[in-house]
């Protein structure tokens, strides 16, 4: 996020190895470092927390810089071909998020108080770039502002010893460790997670965590000892990330918070539900609910449930159709990973071309990026379970290319990238702002409904 070259997976891996070697010596290296053995296929990493195609200015609520977007697109193409170049109050009355930087917090729009039990308000980062909630960790408890991510399965915050991969500390964020929490315990086991954007590595720990007033005692999660600049930079308003996919995807090999809440009987079901808010609507009614659905947020007659077709732990459903102004694009047999941690929609290049060919004035500007007229009224819709969910044209026209020309061209909310197979889409907030979204670990299903 600062324009510096991100570390490769091997470089971050080696930095953590050096730390363990320094602290624990060779014996500790062999004892505690046995999980980092080869990693995952590159395309699997792209599916987690992905901000490909999102200009840095979007985080600050500014307009797009096309050159920056194209540079990000080039980087996405490198990822896709196997190369290693590789966030105020949460609205729940929990209080201030601690030492997060003022500059970063200026980019966060606070949510209203949630309307359902076991829920947190979802604050908006920048121009609908990400969605954050405040939770409490440690003894005494401290507020941490956390990005809520349905597309990964690891929960972490920065360690008191956190270092940025580019040198120095991890910025003006809230950190956790034995100095700030008497209930903190380091297991001396390591973890690392590589996302579509950025990566972290550190130790697996236990501490007390409170989520919407639900108390998880000695919960197992991670503290990041090394963060890429995507997370350590002062411009990043959140203090950590909560993965809410299935724990089969977890690099920490531990239960996700919703799974732990259900196992301890604190919620009736391992269900997580999202109402994603749009900044332009000025409603600030975003909400995440643990253990059920908030039926006041959606039309119950439109609720559809889909089998999860992903074997790794992502939330993925079959898409029936993709249409533009009611015209079928002919894209059949597609699946969609539904990911609140991804800002845009990322789809195979040929599919993205097919969609934009039906949007008047759309242009392919290279590196997986398309532009559309900022004034477009094109209705792009994705169909699941026989129900068509239309995307607001304001979400397709994600950001003006030129801030002085708001009626000119806009960066499209649908970008091209090879995330998985030739028929797999990564469907982020550009779509999810337009539907109520819920996941059920026990039933292994995803549900969507039209908003009210």
């Amino acid at each position: 996020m600062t324009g510096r070259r991100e570390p490769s997976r091997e470089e971050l891996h080696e930095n953590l190895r050096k730390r363990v070697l320094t602290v624990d010596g060779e014996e500790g290296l062999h004892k505690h470092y046995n999980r980092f053995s080869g990693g995952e296929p590159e395309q699997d990493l792209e599916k987690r927390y992905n901000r490909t195609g999102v200009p840095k200015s979007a985080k600050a609520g500014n307009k797009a810089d096309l050159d920056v977007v194209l540079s990000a697109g080039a980087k996405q193409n490198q990822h896709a071909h196997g190369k290693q170049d590789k966030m105020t109050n949460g609205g729940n009355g929990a209080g201030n998020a601690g030492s997060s930087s003022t500059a970063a917090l200026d980019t966060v729009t606070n949510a209203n108080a949630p309307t359902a039990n076991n829920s947190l308000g979802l604050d908006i980062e920048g121009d609908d770039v990400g969605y954050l909630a405040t939770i409490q960790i440690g003894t005494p408890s401290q507020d941490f502002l956390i990005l809520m991510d349905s597309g990964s399965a690891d929960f972490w915050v920065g360690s008191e010893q956190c270092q940025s991969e580019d040198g120095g500390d991890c910025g003006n964020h809230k950190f956790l460790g034995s100095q700030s929490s008497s209930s903190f315990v380091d297991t001396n086991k390591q973890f690392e997670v590589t996302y579509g954007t950025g990566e972290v590595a550190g130790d697996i720990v236990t501490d007390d965590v409170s989520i919407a007033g639900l108390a998880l005692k000695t919960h197992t999660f991670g503290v990041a000892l090394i963060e890429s600049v995507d997370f350590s930079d002062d411009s990043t308003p959140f203090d950590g990330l909560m993965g809410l996919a299935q724990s089969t995807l977890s690099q920490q090999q531990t239960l996700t918070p919703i799974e732990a809440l259900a196992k301890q009987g604190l919620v009736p079901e391992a269900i997580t539900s999202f109402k994603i808010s749009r900044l332009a609507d000025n409603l600030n009614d975003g909400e995440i609910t643990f253990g059920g659905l908030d039926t006041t947020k959606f039309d119950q007659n439109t609720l559809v449930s889909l089998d999860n077709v992903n074997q790794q732990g992502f939330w993925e459903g079959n898409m029936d159709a993709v249409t533009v102004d009611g015209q079928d694009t002919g894209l059949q047999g597609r699946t969609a990973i539904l990911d609140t941690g991804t800002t845009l929609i990322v789809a195979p290049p040929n599919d993205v071309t097919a969609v934009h060919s039906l949007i008047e004035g759309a242009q392919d500007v290279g590196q997986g990026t398309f532009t559309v007229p900022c004034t477009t009224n094109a209705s792009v819709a994705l169909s699941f379970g026989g129900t068509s969910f239309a995307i607001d044209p304001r979400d397709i026209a994600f950001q003006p290319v030129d801030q002085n020309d708001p009626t000119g061209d806009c960066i499209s909310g649908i970008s091209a990238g090879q995330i998985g197979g030739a028929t797999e889409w990564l469907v982020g907030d550009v779509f999810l702002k337009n539907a109520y979204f819920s996941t059920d670990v026990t039933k292994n299903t995803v549900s969507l409904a039209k908003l009210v």
Side-chain angles (χ1 to χ4, degrees):
M1 296 184 182
T2 62
R4 302 181 181 91
R5 183 186 71 84
E6 291 186 9
S8 70
R9 183 176 175 85
E10 287 81 3
E11 287 171 334
L12 193 72
H13 184 175
E14 184 58 27
N15 285 339
L16 188 59
R17 286 180 63 90
K18 289 177 180 178
R19 174 200 167 270
V20 175
L21 184 62
T22 299
V23 175
D24 295 330
E26 288 287 349
E27 182 179 352
L29 188 64
H30 291 298
K31 180 178 180 181
H32 301 306
Y33 210 75
N34 56 6
R35 288 195 57 232
F36 298 170
S37 55
E40 303 166 279
E42 182 82 3
Q43 288 177 345
D44 292 344
L45 307 176
E46 296 295 343
K47 299 171 187 176
R48 300 191 185 103
Y49 177 74
N50 193 316
R51 292 189 171 180
T52 294
V54 181
K56 180 182 177 182
S57 58
K59 291 186 61 181
N62 298 323
K63 303 308 177 186
D65 181 325
L66 188 57
D67 291 336
V68 173
V69 175
L70 293 179
S71 175
K75 182 177 176 182
Q76 167 66 23
N77 290 337
Q78 289 181 332
H79 281 308
H81 290 88
K83 297 184 180 178
Q84 288 287 355
D85 283 339
K86 302 259 253 216
M87 323 133 25
T88 150
N89 191 322
N92 62 341
N96 192 284
S99 58
S100 295
S101 68
T102 301
L105 290 178
D106 286 344
T107 72
V108 176
T109 301
N110 294 344
N112 298 328
T115 58
N117 294 329
N118 302 336
S119 300
L120 294 170
L122 281 176
D123 301 344
I124 306 171
E125 179 189 358
D127 282 347
D128 302 343
V129 170
Y131 294 86
L132 323 175
T134 299
I135 65 170
Q136 291 72 44
I137 309 176
T139 306
S141 65
Q142 299 182 87
D143 291 342
F144 286 79
L145 191 59
I146 305 294
L147 185 134
M148 297 291 160
D149 180 19
S150 69
S152 67
D154 293 286
F155 169 33
W156 60 267
V157 297
S159 164
E160 290 172 347
Q161 286 78 45
C162 186
Q163 292 185 328
S164 176
E165 54 84 17
D166 70 336
D169 61 26
C170 291
N172 293 322
H173 297 105
K174 182 65 67 68
F175 302 102
L176 183 69
S178 58
Q179 295 181 30
S180 58
S181 174
S182 62
S183 49
F184 175 92
V185 177
D186 193 329
T187 70
N188 293 316
K189 295 179 181 178
Q190 280 71 53
F191 80 98
E192 62 176 342
V193 188
T194 302
Y195 299 91
T197 301
E199 52 191 333
V200 297
D203 284 358
I204 298 173
V205 304
T206 65
D207 208 340
D208 297 341
V209 178
S210 179
I211 303 171
L214 301 167
L216 282 172
K217 297 294 185 181
T218 61
H219 183 62
T220 303
F221 59 105
V223 291
L225 291 155
I226 300 174
E227 298 178 358
S228 65
V229 292
D230 308 276
F231 299 116
S232 65
D233 195 89
D234 284 348
S235 67
T236 300
F238 53 87
D239 303 312
L241 186 149
M242 183 181 291
L244 292 163
Q246 293 178 313
S247 57
T248 51
L249 190 64
S250 172
Q251 300 302 291
Q252 298 166 356
Q253 297 184 342
T254 190
L255 296 179
T256 63
I258 184 58
E259 291 171 352
L261 287 169
K263 184 177 180 179
Q264 295 186 26
L266 296 172
V267 295
E269 302 286 346
I271 294 172
T272 309
S273 303
F274 302 84
K275 197 288 179 185
I276 300 291
S277 187
R278 180 183 296 105
L279 182 66
D281 290 340
N282 201 32
L283 296 175
N284 305 329
D285 58 350
E287 179 185 271
I288 180 170
T289 300
F290 298 90
L293 295 79
D294 182 354
T295 57
T296 68
K297 298 291 189 184
F298 63 94
D299 181 350
Q300 298 182 57
N301 293 323
T302 66
L303 183 67
V304 296
S305 294
L306 314 167
D307 290 335
N308 181 15
V309 300
N310 191 282
Q311 302 299 313
Q312 298 167 283
F314 294 104
W315 296 112
E316 185 169 8
N318 289 317
M319 270 198 304
D320 304 328
V322 181
T323 61
V324 180
D325 293 328
Q327 183 174 348
D328 197 336
T329 60
L331 301 176
Q332 303 298 321
R334 269 49 177 182
T335 63
I337 292 175
L338 301 172
D339 182 5
T340 61
T342 287
T343 307
L344 306 183
I345 295 173
V346 186
N350 290 341
D351 290 5
V352 174
T353 298
V355 172
H356 285 97
S357 70
L358 298 178
I359 300 177
E360 184 177 355
Q363 300 180 67
D364 183 348
V365 295
Q367 308 296 356
T369 300
F370 283 72
T371 60
V372 297
C374 293
T375 56
T376 186
N377 288 315
S379 177
V380 179
L382 309 183
S383 179
F384 297 91
T387 299
S388 180
F389 295 89
I391 302 173
D392 193 303
R394 293 173 296 172
D395 300 323
I396 298 298
F398 183 68
Q399 279 204 323
V401 171
D402 182 353
Q403 62 178 336
N404 297 315
D405 188 11
T407 61
D409 287 332
C410 275
I411 301 297
S412 174
I414 305 176
S415 63
Q418 204 65 50
I419 292 301
T423 60
E424 191 170 40
W425 288 38
L426 179 61
V427 175
D429 301 325
V430 160
F431 171 78
L432 293 172
K433 282 180 284 185
N434 297 276
Y436 192 82
F437 168 46
S438 183
T439 66
D440 189 322
V441 176
T442 305
K443 294 181 180 178
N444 197 26
T445 58
V446 296
S447 298
L448 294 165
K450 295 187 178 182
L451 298 170
V452 293

